Amino acid sequence: MSWIPFKIGQPKKQIVPKTVERDFEREYGKLQQLEEQTRRLQKDMKKSTDADLGRWLSTCTTGWAAMSKSAMKISLDLLSNPLCEQDQDLLNMVTALDTAMKRLDAFNQEKVNQIQKTVIEPLKKFGSVFPSLNMAVKRREQALQDYRRLQAKVEKYEEKEKTGPVLAKLHQAREELRPVREDFEAKNRQLLEEMPRFYGSRLDYFQPSFESLIRAQVVYYSEMHKIFGDLTQQLDQPGHSDEQRERENEAKLSELRALSIVADD
Amino acid sequence: MAKHGADEPSSRSGSPDGEDRASEDRSLLHQRLAVQELIDTEVSYLHMLHLCASDIRSRLQQLPQGDLDVLFSNIDDIIKVNSRFLHDLQETASKKEEQVQLVGNLFLEFQEELEQVYKIYCASYDQALLLVEMYRKEPELQQHIQGIIKAVVPQAGSSGLSFLLVIPLQRITRYPLLLQKILENTLPDASAYPVLQRAVSALQDVNTNINEYKMRKEVASKYTKVEQLTLRERLARINTHTLSKKTTRLSQLLKQEAGLIPRTEDKEFDDLEERFQWVSLCVTELKNNMAAYLDNLQAFLCFRPHEFNLDIAEGPAVQYCNLARDLQLEAFLKFKQRLEGLVWQPLCSLAKALLGPQNLIKKRLDKLLDFERVEEKLLEVGSVTYEEQAARHTYQALNSLLVAELPQFNQLAMQWLGQILRTFVTLQRDLAKQVLQRAEGSMAQLPHHHVPEPAFRKLVEDTLGRTSNQLHSFQETFEKVLPPPTTQPLLPGSERQVQALLSRYGPGKLYQVTNNISGTGTLDLTLPRGQIVALLQNKDTKGNSGRWLVDTGRHRGYVPAGKLQLYHVVPSAEELRRQAGLNEEPRCLTPEPVRAPVPSIPTVNQVIAAYPFEARSSHEVSLQAGQPVTVLEAQDKKGNPEWSLVEVNGRRGYVPSGFLARVPSPVLWGWNLPS
């Protein structure tokens, strides 16, 4: 909704003091931005936790759940390969990996649920106030229009020659104007009071959500660290640097290439 | 090279003993000569090798290093091995009696090394020859090479390089022959005999193995290449020869499928192949899954919460934004890079390595079919063509190559796979550690960091409940920004109309039009904003409650209910009174109301048409305002009281009941509402 004051093509009669209008504009502008940001943030948060449980192979799912699922597939496929039946060592390793992935996925689910409850829903709730706010602003706008129209009418009669019928019409116009002006002023005042309060409320409102978000990460990653730490102890030789690993990979590749049946390229 | 010695002294002794001994002596002499030949030739061989490797090679500087590597291959290794061999050989010279046995043992000792080192040289010899041919075609280069060789090894003659390069091949094939000669001249009961026998067969084995190795290498390099041929190139390759080959293979396969001919069962190979297929599957699946995982990681990295500005300057929100940014830019990025380098790349290389063996296995099957057919022919006919023989050999070479190397391949592949998986696990742990460190750092700055998790969750729940209520109250507030509807100004001149409606219907039934109404149907009214109307029915004849029947004072008709608003009469009553007060004078000036003295017409409850009505169908009848009608039925055929059957002007038809009025007071023709 764009708030374009004073653009109705009539001579700029500033019946509402400029300062009042400016204040309103500023408050409303800030709120609009906030609404936009909140909406985007909410959408993004939702995307990052949206667990698309049914369709693995889809590359549309993003975020933690998708990663967790694809990690689980790695171990699952390995486990189902016939080689595991023949090779005990391989079977042990792959089983351990599979167990780790499954446990991690469970923790991920928990994290997703927690975030759903403490971040996404509150965000949504905050966002749901905006329609009402916008309606209220629209009504104020309407009232302003009416106010200006009637004000113009009054001024028109005031400028005319003061004959009997003119006086009667002028009186009538003034009578019409009064309630409308009062209505507008009431609406304006109310909004100018409430909007900043609402805007300010977000400070307190969002803090618990973000605290919760950080804590959820701590919980999840400490579990992940423990799980994979144990697994590393079980499987790997810890302490190899990246360069060492690269060299190991190179060595294996050379060994393979040394075979005649492997094509050189 | 030392040649055979002088003529042997012929023995003319007649006695058998003497003859035996003479022949023994002869054999011994020949044996010693043969051994000497071995040693002498070894010396000159080694000398020649040195000349090639050092003098000639160093002078062929203008050839690229790659070429030199192909030409001279592993000649340095050969020199090393043969130097040691010669040294040990020369040492045996002092051992006199045992020399022959020692020589035999020496060969057995060196068998493995010789095989290892010569097979490489022999396998690359063909390529070296190709290079030599190439050089021969360039006269200048050729001259230069010839010049060098002539200076160093004059006896090389015009064959030049090829003469020199073939020498190691000649040597290794010569060993069995030299040993054979020694063996021939050894007495069967000598202790050296069995050793020599073993040595001979050992060196023969070495040569066989070297040949086999060479053939395998050739076959492998021929078939491992996965050629990227265009369709046109593929088509160009098809000729009668290839077609006949393929059809023959196909028919062979079909015959096997049909059970007409036995299939060559090779359990060993089948098991190997099966295992290879599983390994392939493992690698391919892992690669695909890893690709999906990386894609998801990439998508996850696109989500950037820290780029949103909620305009919150401090507190947990800021903490979170900083944390998220750190994680994106550092922890996760590093994880992704390590993953790509240490897991993804190796997987790709491993997957590529699968292609060679896969191709060879396919080729082997083709060649197997050829082989079987040739075997059949052999059985039937007894002989085969040269080509068929070659096909047999190709199959055998492929088969033995695969049988020899597939187990190794499988094992290496699985080892590597295991390595890759372990690395994956370690990378996950490292990522977790990185994130945890940072997240714990952020958490330490949170207001409730000291609160244990369960208690914190309760706290958040409570807080959110409270703030939710707060939000709710905001929402209500905003919805209430709508004070009670203000009274709209009356249209000029409408006060009396309003008064009339008021007295007729009562205050609760008056509505004001909030927006201009333009009627579309014949029964719909067109009214300006502000007009006051009275409600007759809050639904139309079809029961639609969005369309109301109203009375404007002059007309009746339907209007959309949404554009009506209950009209509060109270202030306007004051208004009216004031207005009335203003207008009183003019009214007094008007003459007597038009109401003439009422003639004594009996008061009857006559039903008249209060409003004009246009009949829209033959079932309806038109009315004029004020027309008296006779009501025949106060409802229609379906019992709907909205319509009445009336007779007017001699015609019958249905009219809306609301358009009729019962008039108890004296009837005047052309009665109208006071305007």
Side-chain angles (χ1 to χ4, degrees):
Chain A
M1 177 183 151
S2 64
W3 169 245
I4 313 172
F6 302 125
K7 283 258 173 89
I8 307 185
Q10 294 189 10
K12 279 205 177 163
K13 292 270 177 91
Q14 317 252 317
I15 48 168
V16 177
K18 233 188 176 151
T19 46
V20 171
E21 204 49 49
R22 222 187 12 244
D23 282 346
F24 184 83
E25 228 178 286
R26 188 183 56 234
E27 287 301 318
Y28 191 66
K30 274 203 286 194
L31 265 172
Q32 257 196 296
Q33 228 186 346
L34 176 65
E35 183 196 359
E36 183 57 37
Q37 300 285 24
T38 315
R39 200 151 34 91
R40 268 204 334 207
L41 184 62
Q42 189 187 318
K43 204 156 54 131
D44 267 348
M45 292 246 105
K46 188 150 199 288
K47 259 204 299 205
S48 87
T49 62
D50 209 334
D52 197 344
L53 293 167
R55 302 173 294 132
W56 273 105
L57 296 170
S58 152
T59 48
C60 296
T61 53
T62 61
W64 301 309
M67 278 180 65
S68 193
K69 288 290 179 280
S70 56
M72 283 212 298
K73 184 166 202 283
I74 289 174
S75 56
L76 198 67
D77 282 346
L78 284 170
L79 208 49
S80 66
N81 193 296
L83 284 172
C84 282
E85 289 167 30
Q86 299 188 336
D87 189 337
Q88 191 59 38
D89 286 338
L90 181 66
L91 181 63
N92 292 342
M93 176 166 77
V94 173
T95 310
L97 185 64
D98 191 53
T99 311
M101 294 300 191
K102 287 202 172 93
R103 283 178 62 201
L104 200 60
D105 189 58
F107 280 116
N108 191 58
Q109 263 308 110
E110 209 184 287
K111 177 174 72 163
V112 165
N113 291 342
Q114 177 70 358
I115 301 236
Q116 184 78 24
K117 222 175 27 174
T118 58
V119 183
I120 296 195
E121 296 206 353
L123 274 174
K124 247 200 296 209
K125 278 208 192 116
F126 192 81
S128 69
V129 175
F130 280 92
S132 313
L133 172 62
N134 289 339
M135 275 309 310
V137 170
K138 257 203 215 130
R139 287 187 217 112
R140 176 204 175 266
E141 165 80 17
Q142 184 79 31
L144 180 62
Q145 306 261 26
D146 290 343
Y147 179 19
R148 293 183 57 231
R149 182 172 51 84
L150 292 180
Q151 177 70 15
K153 214 159 77 162
V154 164
E155 282 163 11
K156 183 180 80 178
Y157 286 133
E158 270 172 0
E159 282 163 15
K160 278 207 179 139
E161 213 188 301
K162 301 280 197 286
T163 64
V166 168
L167 276 174
K169 287 212 167 72
L170 176 61
H171 183 75
Q172 187 183 12
R174 284 210 186 105
E175 289 307 307
E176 284 175 32
L177 177 61
R178 195 168 33 86
V180 169
R181 185 184 59 233
E182 280 166 6
D183 177 42
F184 167 74
E185 278 167 0
K187 285 184 162 89
N188 194 50
R189 195 170 40 237
Q190 190 165 14
L191 279 181
L192 270 179
E193 268 174 27
E194 292 299 323
M195 284 203 304
R197 271 187 61 208
F198 175 57
Y199 188 71
S201 76
R202 83 195 182 293
L203 290 172
D204 290 331
Y205 185 68
F206 287 142
Q207 306 293 42
S209 299
F210 283 106
E211 269 202 71
S212 186
L213 196 51
I214 294 179
R215 290 183 75 119
Q217 303 278 48
V218 169
V219 166
Y220 175 75
Y221 280 101
S222 40
E223 288 301 330
M224 181 175 168
H225 185 235
K226 196 148 52 103
I227 290 174
F228 279 109
D230 291 343
L231 199 57
T232 310
Q233 291 283 39
Q234 214 182 328
L235 299 181
D236 202 11
Q237 313 97 315
H240 276 203
S241 69
D242 281 5
E243 290 78 28
Q244 267 176 304
R245 285 181 202 276
E246 271 174 29
R247 278 202 294 274
E248 280 166 12
N249 284 326
E250 284 296 326
K252 273 286 179 288
L253 185 59
S254 314
E255 278 189 69
L256 274 176
R257 289 229 178 108
L259 293 175
S260 317
I261 59 176
V262 175
D264 320 302
D265 46 16
Chain B
M1 287 187 221
K3 292 270 197 261
H4 230 299
D7 290 336
E8 60 229 309
S10 46
S11 167
R12 288 193 214 270
S13 153
S15 67
D17 276 350
E19 267 194 24
D20 282 342
R21 226 180 316 121
S23 71
E24 251 185 58
D25 286 339
R26 253 205 319 277
S27 301
L28 209 55
L29 181 63
H30 286 196
Q31 192 195 55
R32 253 190 248 124
L33 286 173
V35 172
Q36 195 55 46
E37 188 184 347
L38 172 64
I39 299 179
D40 291 342
T41 49
E42 189 69 23
V43 170
S44 60
Y45 168 61
L46 208 52
H47 174 69
M48 196 62 88
L49 282 183
H50 274 296
L51 281 179
C52 284
S54 327
D55 294 32
I56 294 182
R57 181 158 62 172
S58 57
R59 283 180 215 199
L60 286 173
Q61 279 314 315
Q62 64 191 103
L63 295 177
Q65 186 58 38
D67 280 11
L68 288 176
D69 286 343
V70 170
L71 285 174
F72 293 100
S73 188
N74 64 339
I75 203 172
D76 299 313
D77 293 334
I78 293 179
I79 291 177
K80 278 197 207 124
V81 173
N82 275 84
S83 303
R84 275 189 292 124
F85 182 66
L86 180 60
H87 177 262
D88 289 352
L89 209 54
Q90 284 168 331
E91 283 210 325
T92 64
S94 55
K95 300 289 167 44
K96 286 299 170 201
E97 267 73 54
E98 300 167 331
Q99 185 180 27
V100 178
Q101 190 168 352
L102 286 172
V103 166
N105 279 325
L106 198 60
F107 270 103
L108 289 171
E109 219 181 281
F110 272 82
Q111 178 190 9
E112 191 62 42
E113 273 194 80
L114 286 171
E115 187 179 320
Q116 287 308 320
V117 102
Y118 277 90
K119 79 177 178 187
I120 294 176
Y121 187 88
C122 294
S124 70
Y125 176 68
D126 285 341
Q127 262 193 303
L129 274 189
L130 282 173
L131 272 181
V132 171
E133 267 309 301
M134 239 171 59
Y135 298 154
R136 219 187 271 274
K137 297 207 180 100
E138 286 178 54
E140 269 190 43
L141 185 59
Q142 180 62 11
Q143 248 186 330
H144 173 78
I145 293 173
Q146 281 299 107
I148 294 173
I149 293 176
K150 205 153 174 180
V152 180
V153 184
Q155 64 265 44
S158 60
S159 21
L161 262 182
S162 47
F163 171 82
L164 292 174
L165 293 176
V166 85
I167 289 176
L169 261 82
Q170 289 172 333
R171 188 66 188 160
I172 193 73
T173 48
R174 193 97 203 265
Y175 285 135
L177 301 173
L178 289 169
L179 278 172
Q180 187 71 31
K181 213 195 249 180
I182 301 177
L183 184 66
E184 277 166 8
N185 291 306
T186 311
L187 296 170
D189 52 6
S191 55
Y193 196 83
V195 179
L196 276 177
Q197 264 189 320
R198 287 211 309 275
V200 169
S201 74
L203 265 293
Q204 281 169 343
D205 285 346
V206 165
N207 276 290
T208 316
N209 291 347
I210 289 179
N211 275 335
E212 173 118 352
Y213 179 80
K214 185 170 153 164
M215 176 134 70
R216 282 190 203 163
K217 265 244 169 260
E218 277 169 11
V219 143
S221 64
K222 182 174 172 193
Y223 291 120
T224 49
K225 301 256 183 292
V226 184
E227 293 186 74
Q228 305 285 4
L229 296 173
T230 65
L231 186 59
R232 183 175 293 188
E233 285 166 328
R234 282 188 209 268
L235 285 173
R237 283 236 183 136
I238 296 178
N239 52 31
T240 46
H241 179 64
T242 58
L243 275 175
S244 87
K245 253 208 298 198
K246 288 190 200 297
T247 36
T248 315
R249 281 189 196 139
L250 184 59
S251 72
Q252 189 77 1
L253 192 59
L254 288 174
K255 280 194 238 168
Q256 279 180 356
E257 296 286 330
L260 290 171
I261 48 173
R263 197 183 300 222
T264 310
E265 290 275 309
D266 186 344
K267 183 119 192 10
E268 187 193 358
F269 184 83
D270 289 344
D271 285 346
L272 263 182
E273 194 200 333
E274 193 180 45
R275 192 172 172 86
F276 172 76
Q277 297 301 353
W278 290 339
V279 171
S280 284
L281 181 66
C282 203
V283 171
T284 320
E285 270 183 348
L286 185 60
K287 183 173 164 223
N288 291 340
N289 288 338
M290 200 56 74
Y293 183 82
L294 277 169
D295 282 345
N296 284 327
L297 177 60
Q298 185 59 44
F300 171 70
L301 287 178
C302 288
F303 158 54
R304 287 186 265 261
H306 52 278
E307 283 180 0
F308 290 100
N309 180 20
L310 287 171
D311 195 14
I312 299 179
E314 54 178 16
V318 175
Q319 297 297 345
Y320 178 73
C321 284
N322 291 338
L323 176 64
R325 189 182 42 240
D326 271 349
L327 291 181
Q328 293 278 59
L329 296 180
E330 292 177 21
F332 275 101
L333 196 63
K334 184 132 199 288
F335 173 66
K336 181 161 168 271
Q337 285 168 343
R338 285 178 87 200
L339 206 58
E340 280 169 350
L342 299 176
V343 172
W344 175 247
Q345 288 300 337
L347 264 179
C348 287
S349 304
L350 184 50
K352 235 195 315 191
L354 290 172
L355 294 176
Q358 275 168 355
N359 238 37
L360 284 177
I361 289 174
K362 253 189 273 177
K363 266 299 166 196
R364 173 197 168 272
L365 184 60
D366 289 344
K367 296 296 177 189
L368 177 58
L369 294 171
D370 294 345
F371 174 78
E372 285 168 344
R373 213 183 39 79
V374 171
E375 292 290 283
E376 269 174 45
K377 187 173 173 203
L378 204 54
L379 283 174
E380 289 166 23
V381 177
S383 71
V384 288
T385 66
Y386 178 71
E387 273 168 7
E388 286 163 340
Q389 194 70 307
R392 278 181 84 211
H393 284 151
T394 311
Y395 161 72
Q396 281 163 337
L398 269 176
N399 193 58
S400 60
L401 176 64
L402 284 169
V403 167
E405 294 200 341
L406 264 184
Q408 236 185 319
F409 181 89
N410 289 341
Q411 192 185 35
L412 280 173
M414 286 318 290
Q415 280 172 352
W416 201 5
L417 207 70
Q419 238 176 289
I420 292 173
L421 278 176
R422 283 188 213 101
T423 308
F424 181 65
V425 167
T426 307
L427 290 186
Q428 296 278 2
R429 182 206 60 185
D430 290 346
L431 172 70
K433 183 153 157 221
Q434 286 291 311
V435 176
L436 189 58
Q437 254 175 359
R438 290 184 167 84
E440 279 177 339
S442 288
M443 178 158 148
Q445 300 174 37
L446 293 180
H448 298 104
H449 66 273
H450 50 280
V451 176
E453 189 63 20
F456 176 78
R457 292 200 182 180
K458 183 87 184 46
L459 188 64
V460 167
E461 216 177 292
D462 293 342
T463 311
L464 285 177
R466 203 172 16 94
T467 49
S468 162
N469 290 338
Q470 218 179 36
L471 277 185
H472 204 65
S473 76
F474 270 121
Q475 195 164 358
E476 281 176 357
T477 309
F478 288 131
E479 275 168 7
K480 272 200 244 126
V481 177
L482 181 72
T486 51
T487 54
Q488 302 243 359
L490 295 176
L491 294 172
S494 60
E495 307 83 9
R496 272 205 249 159
Q497 173 218 13
V498 173
Q499 196 62 14
L501 284 178
L502 187 63
S503 52
R504 232 163 129 214
Y505 295 100
K509 289 262 188 225
L510 293 190
Y511 285 81
Q512 185 168 34
V513 177
T514 53
N515 266 311
N516 291 338
I517 298 176
S518 20
T520 46
T522 40
L523 293 180
D524 295 331
L525 297 177
T526 297
L527 301 177
R529 184 156 160 251
Q531 170 107 14
I532 308 294
V533 298
L535 174 66
L536 296 174
Q537 288 256 307
N538 60 1
K539 54 183 178 356
D540 69 6
T541 52
K542 295 193 184 74
N544 177 6
S545 60
R547 221 167 146 238
W548 289 355
L549 181 62
V550 299
D551 183 0
T552 64
R554 301 170 74 127
H555 303 285
R556 286 189 185 188
Y558 289 97
V559 295
K563 293 197 177 172
L564 294 180
Q565 185 180 293
L566 198 63
Y567 183 65
H568 297 275
V569 175
V570 174
S572 64
E574 282 176 31
E575 188 93 12
L576 276 172
R577 242 176 275 131
R578 250 190 307 130
Q579 292 283 8
L582 270 177
N583 290 339
E584 229 163 56
E585 264 211 23
R587 218 191 264 159
C588 290
L589 295 174
T590 55
E592 285 281 312
V594 179
R595 291 204 190 95
V598 177
S600 51
I601 298 173
T603 56
V604 152
N605 274 355
Q606 171 100 26
V607 178
I608 62 156
Y611 306 95
F613 173 65
E614 292 254 44
R616 296 165 304 171
S617 70
S618 52
H619 300 285
E620 298 165 359
V621 69
S622 298
L623 297 176
Q624 283 176 6
Q627 263 186 317
V629 305
T630 314
V631 176
L632 301 175
E633 273 180 343
Q635 62 195 22
D636 72 6
K637 287 272 185 309
K638 293 190 191 121
N640 185 355
E642 306 274 359
W643 295 87
S644 301
L645 181 61
V646 301
E647 197 181 272
V648 62
N649 271 356
R651 280 173 290 125
R652 282 191 193 190
Y654 284 96
V655 298
S657 310
F659 279 43
L660 304 173
R662 214 167 283 279
V663 193
S665 56
V667 172
L668 287 172
W669 292 106
W671 177 71
N672 280 316
L673 280 173
S675 56

